[in-house]
Amino acid sequence: MAEEDSQVVAAEDSLVKAGPISQWLTENGFDHESLEPDKIGVEIIKVEADFLLPISTALYAYGFNYLQFQSGIHLGPGEDLVSVYHLIKVSDNADKPEEIRIKVFLPRENPRVPSVYWIWKTADWQERETYDMFGIIYEGHPNLKRILMPEDWMGWPLRKDYISPDFYELQDAY
């Protein structure tokens, strides 16, 4: 009996408590998962790619009017890719604005997620850079093409299993 009680307490301690933004999303019927807050206490939620646009639109309506950054993460060779968004609620006289991070975990083989460009225009170059470095395809982006690497570059340089070529031959050198 005591062993069962300690297992229940251990399970409750391992659950991540939903933050205020996550609670608001849940109350309004948006499917997501709360993750452990980052080291400075910013709330992090995990969202499926299919729900990114509805949740992003809801967060924009909630007041998250500034996309501070969007980037990618590769969890390791053969592992998932993650598209990360850091949103801030910018308002007048805000000493400490509310912040939230969204993580969308994507399969390495076909990493596709809707573009949030139509909600936050600052996603334009950031999604292009993430596409260029990680190969995450942002569906609906108005100009998704390489931004740092040459257009004919093979591979995605920031993936952890990327093998750098010995040389690069310029096709149209002047």
Side-chain angles (χ1 to χ4, degrees), residues 20 22 30 36 40-41 65 70-71 81 90 96 100 102 105 111-112 114 122-123 159 171-172:
S22 177
F30 292 100
E36 194 69 35
I40 59 172
N65 53 4
Q70 183 285 320
S71 190
L81 297 164
V90 177
K96 184 168 183 353
I100 189 166
I102 301 172
F105 292 78
R112 294 180 172 274
T122 55
R159 286 191 182 184
Q171 301 298 318
D172 296 317

Side-chain angles (χ1 to χ4, degrees), residues 36-79:
E36 194 69 35
D38 72 2
K39 65 181 180 179
I40 59 172
V42 175
E43 192 174 340
I44 302 173
I45 62 170
K46 177 182 176 181
V47 173
E48 295 296 323
D50 293 341
F51 299 119
L52 178 63
L53 286 182
I55 286 178
S56 295
T57 305
L59 289 171
Y60 184 83
Y62 184 74
F64 286 95
N65 53 4
Y66 179 54
L67 173 65
Q68 185 178 40
F69 80 81
Q70 183 285 320
S71 190
I73 302 169
H74 186 203
L75 299 177
E79 296 292 322

Side-chain angles (χ1 to χ4, degrees):
M1 180 78 150
E3 185 177 317
E4 288 176 13
D5 290 339
S6 66
Q7 288 176 347
V8 169
V9 170
E12 288 174 0
D13 289 342
S14 68
L15 293 176
V16 175
K17 292 187 172 128
I21 301 160
S22 177
Q23 291 173 3
W24 180 83
L25 287 169
T26 301
E27 290 167 5
N28 288 283
F30 292 100
D31 191 27
H32 68 285
E33 179 183 334
S34 290
L35 301 177
E36 194 69 35
D38 72 2
K39 65 181 180 179
I40 59 172
V42 175
E43 192 174 340
I44 302 173
I45 62 170
K46 177 182 176 181
V47 173
E48 295 296 323
D50 293 341
F51 299 119
L52 178 63
L53 286 182
I55 286 178
S56 295
T57 305
L59 289 171
Y60 184 83
Y62 184 74
F64 286 95
N65 53 4
Y66 179 54
L67 173 65
Q68 185 178 40
F69 80 81
Q70 183 285 320
S71 190
I73 302 169
H74 186 203
L75 299 177
E79 296 292 322
D80 285 346
L81 297 164
V82 183
S83 187
V84 181
Y85 308 82
H86 185 106
L87 306 175
I88 298 178
K89 188 187 278 191
V90 177
S91 61
D92 294 338
N93 303 320
D95 292 338
K96 184 168 183 353
E98 284 185 74
E99 301 175 72
I100 189 166
R101 293 205 179 125
I102 301 172
K103 291 187 175 183
V104 182
F105 292 78
L106 304 164
R108 184 186 184 289
E109 298 77 37
N110 190 19
R112 294 180 172 274
V113 66
S115 173
V116 296
Y117 168 80
W118 305 105
I119 301 169
W120 298 285
K121 297 296 187 223
T122 55
D124 185 9
W125 291 71
Q126 296 176 56
E127 287 180 345
R128 285 179 63 190
E129 182 179 357
T130 304
Y131 163 72
D132 196 6
M133 297 288 107
F134 293 94
I136 297 173
I137 298 167
Y138 292 91
E139 295 175 327
H141 190 282
N143 190 20
L144 191 64
K145 63 180 184 177
R146 290 209 184 254
I147 192 171
L148 299 171
M149 305 302 289
E151 295 254 352
D152 60 346
W153 192 264
M154 300 297 285
W156 316 107
L158 289 184
R159 286 191 182 184
K160 293 184 178 177
D161 53 2
Y162 176 73
I163 298 171
S164 185
D166 292 335
F167 69 94
Y168 175 71
E169 183 178 323
L170 291 174
Q171 301 298 318
D172 296 317
Y174 294 97

